[in-house]
Amino acid sequence: MDTGFVTTPFGRRPMSLALMKGQLQAESVKASRSVDKWKVFRNICEARPLLGISDRTLAVLNALLSFYPESHLSGEASMIVFPSNRQLMVRAHGIAVTTLRRHLAALVDAGLVIRKDSANGKRFARRKTSGEVEDAYGFSLVPLLARSEELAAMAQKIETDRMTLRRARERLTICRRDVRKLIDAALDEGVPGNWNDIEAAYTRHLACLPRNPDASALDGVRMKLEDLRADLVNLLTRFDNSKKMSASVVQNEPHIQNSDKDSLELESSPTVQEDTLPPATEKAHSTGPQKIFPLALVLQACPQINDYAQGGSITGWRDLVTAAVTVRSMLGITPETYETACGTLGRENAAIVIACMLERATHINSPGGYLRDLARKGARGEFSLGPMLMALVRHNKPVSQRA
C-alpha cells in the first residue's frame, strides 16, 4: 500500500521530486571536494531572493553551521549536525520554538539542508568506544557542498542584476537632469516653443515609473526622455543659429567700411578725436538713445570685459552694465561723466562704450575726456556704435581670418 512516504537514508519523511533530486545530488558529491562553509553562507545570503527564504531563515542556517566544527565542508567528513531545539534557539537569537521549526522546514524545502531522522525523531550521535561519531541523526549539510557552484552563480546573478539596476537609475537620473536644465535654459533665453506641452511630456514620462521599477522600466522611461532631450537640443541649436545669423546681418551693414589701421589709430592729445575708436561713417538724425547691439557681438568685440564680471563671464546685459561700472572706476572716469553718457546713449550702450575703451585703454590718454566727447557727439546724432564694434571684431580676429 502506497502511504506517500519513501524510506531513504535520511529518514522516513514525505518525499517530493525536489527533495529526491536534492538527495541524489548530495549522494553524488565527490569525497575530495571541499568548500569554505562561510563563503557558501555569504552566497546564500546574496541569493536569498532567488531561493525564496527570509532573513530569519538565514539566521537559523547560520546557527546550524556554527555547530559544524570545521571551517570547510568536505566530502571526506560527516556533515551532519545534531543540535537540540533549545541549543538552536539560543544561537538563533532566542526565536520561539514554533518559529524555529518553520524556518528549519523552509531550509529543507529550499534544498539547503536534508533531514536525517532517527527512529524516534530525536537528534543525536552514536559514538564508538573511542569517542568518534559512528552515526548521527539531525540535519545534513551536504546540499551546501553539492550546490556550492550553483549558489555562487545565483549570488553572481543577483549582484549583476543589482549593478544593472543601479546603472539604469544613474543613466535615467542624468538624462532627467539634462532635460530639466535644457527646459530651464530655454525658458531663461526666451526660446519660442510650446513649453506647456513639453513640461507635460516631461512629467508624464516620469509618472510612468512604478514604485519599485526594474532596469527595463527605467530604461524605457530613459529612452523617452532621451528623445525629448534630442528635440530640445535641436530646438536650442536652431535658436542659437538664428541669433548668429542676426549678428551676421549687423556685421554686414553697408556703413561699416573703416580699415583696421584707420579705425583704430588713436590720437595722443587729451581731447580725443572721433577716430580714436572707429569714427562714425554715418550721422544719425535722431538725438535719442541708439539701438542696442546683440550681446554676443559686443562680447566678440570686447572679450576683456568678461574679466571684470562676477564669476568671470558675462551672461546677460545686467552683468555687462555691472562690469562696466567697475571698469569705469578703474579707468578713472567720474560717476558724473558716466551718468551723462548713460543719459545720452542709454545705459547699455554706455556700457558698450566702456567695454570698447577697455580694449584700447593703453591708447587713450584721457578716458574721461574721450567719453564726454562721445556723449556730446551722441547728443548731436554724430556718433554710431556699429563701426566701433565691427573694427574691434576685425582687430581681434587672427590675421589669417581678416578680410
Side-chain angles (χ1 to χ4, degrees):
M1 180 177 178
D2 185 8
T3 62
F5 289 85
V6 177
T7 302
T8 72
F10 299 94
R12 182 181 171 85
R13 302 292 301 171
M15 181 61 64
S16 65
L17 291 177
L19 289 176
M20 180 175 290
K21 179 182 177 180
Q23 290 183 7
L24 294 175
Q25 186 180 21
E27 291 176 353
S28 64
V29 174
K30 296 180 179 180
S32 59
R33 190 172 179 181
S34 176
V35 65
D36 187 330
K37 66 177 181 180
W38 297 120
K39 182 177 180 180
V40 177
F41 180 73
R42 286 192 295 271
N43 289 336
I44 294 172
C45 292
E46 289 288 336
R48 182 169 65 87
L50 296 179
L51 293 170
I53 57 178
S54 68
D55 53 348
R56 298 297 296 277
T57 304
L58 289 176
V60 174
L61 177 59
N62 181 77
L64 284 175
L65 286 173
S66 69
F67 285 100
Y68 185 73
E70 304 297 332
S71 62
H72 282 70
L73 300 172
S74 173
E76 297 178 348
S78 172
M79 284 180 281
I80 297 176
V81 292
F82 42 89
S84 65
N85 283 347
R86 182 176 296 277
Q87 291 172 315
L88 276 175
M89 288 165 57
V90 171
R91 295 200 185 183
H93 312 294
I95 63 176
V97 65
T98 53
T99 305
L100 174 67
R101 288 170 179 162
R102 186 170 68 251
H103 290 299
L104 286 171
L107 288 173
V108 174
D109 294 339
L112 298 176
V113 298
I114 299 176
R115 294 181 187 269
K116 182 179 179 181
D117 291 340
S118 62
N120 60 5
K122 300 293 183 179
R123 301 181 207 128
F124 64 93
R126 183 176 294 111
R127 300 180 181 276
K128 301 178 182 178
T129 55
S130 60
E132 296 179 359
V133 175
E134 181 179 7
D135 202 359
Y137 301 92
F139 294 98
S140 174
L141 303 178
V142 173
L144 299 181
L145 177 60
R147 299 181 61 187
S148 59
E149 294 181 355
E150 176 193 354
L151 293 170
M154 294 171 71
Q156 183 61 43
K157 182 180 184 305
I158 291 291
E159 179 62 21
T160 300
D161 292 345
R162 185 183 296 116
M163 290 295 297
T164 300
L165 181 62
R166 185 170 70 183
R167 292 192 183 101
R169 281 202 184 101
E170 291 174 350
R171 288 194 294 264
L172 175 60
T173 299
I174 293 172
C175 185
R176 175 179 58 81
R177 289 175 180 171
D178 287 348
V179 172
R180 182 71 264 169
K181 290 178 180 178
L182 288 171
I183 292 175
D184 292 342
L187 293 175
D188 290 343
E189 292 291 334
V191 179
N194 194 344
W195 295 107
N196 288 334
D197 289 348
I198 292 174
E199 286 275 8
Y202 172 72
T203 304
R204 184 173 63 253
H205 293 332
L206 293 178
C208 293
L209 283 173
R211 185 168 184 176
N212 294 308
D214 56 13
S216 61
L218 293 169
D219 286 338
V221 173
R222 177 179 56 82
M223 291 175 64
K224 295 178 181 178
L225 289 180
E226 284 181 347
D227 292 340
L228 182 59
R229 179 174 62 184
D231 293 340
L232 289 169
V233 169
N234 290 334
L235 185 62
L236 290 170
T237 301
R238 289 196 298 270
F239 179 74
D240 185 56
N241 290 338
S242 67
K243 288 176 62 178
K244 291 180 179 178
M245 291 178 63
S246 299
S248 297
V249 171
V250 174
Q251 293 177 10
N252 294 321
E253 288 180 351
H255 71 278
I256 301 173
Q257 57 189 20
N258 299 49
S259 67
D260 289 349
K261 180 178 178 181
D262 295 337
S263 62
L264 290 173
E265 184 178 357
L266 303 180
E267 299 290 340
S268 60
S269 61
T271 304
V272 184
Q273 303 298 324
E274 186 176 350
D275 59 355
T276 300
L277 285 170
T281 60
E282 288 185 354
K283 293 186 179 181
H285 297 288
S286 172
T287 58
Q290 302 184 30
K291 69 176 181 179
I292 300 176
F293 290 84
L295 181 60
L297 176 63
V298 175
L299 297 179
Q300 184 180 2
C302 311
Q304 294 185 46
I305 194 70
N306 282 292
D307 298 336
Y308 298 88
Q310 293 183 356
S313 64
I314 291 174
T315 59
W317 285 106
R318 182 187 298 273
D319 295 338
L320 178 65
V321 171
T322 303
V325 173
T326 303
V327 174
R328 184 272 306 164
S329 177
M330 184 194 73
L331 293 177
I333 299 173
T334 64
E336 293 78 11
T337 301
Y338 182 65
E339 287 301 322
T340 300
C342 289
T344 303
L345 306 175
R347 190 163 297 276
E348 290 81 3
N349 285 329
I352 294 174
V353 171
I354 294 294
C356 293
M357 292 173 63
L358 176 64
E359 292 293 320
R360 307 295 293 172
T362 57
H363 300 277
I364 301 175
N365 292 338
S366 177
Y370 177 67
L371 184 58
R372 282 191 297 272
D373 187 58
L374 290 185
R376 286 193 295 267
K377 291 180 179 180
R380 298 193 301 267
E382 299 174 354
F383 169 65
S384 175
L385 269 172
M388 178 183 288
L389 286 172
M390 294 314 305
L392 287 171
V393 169
R394 291 194 300 272
H395 179 73
N396 289 332
K397 280 184 179 180
V399 176
S400 60
Q401 295 182 13
R402 295 181 186 176

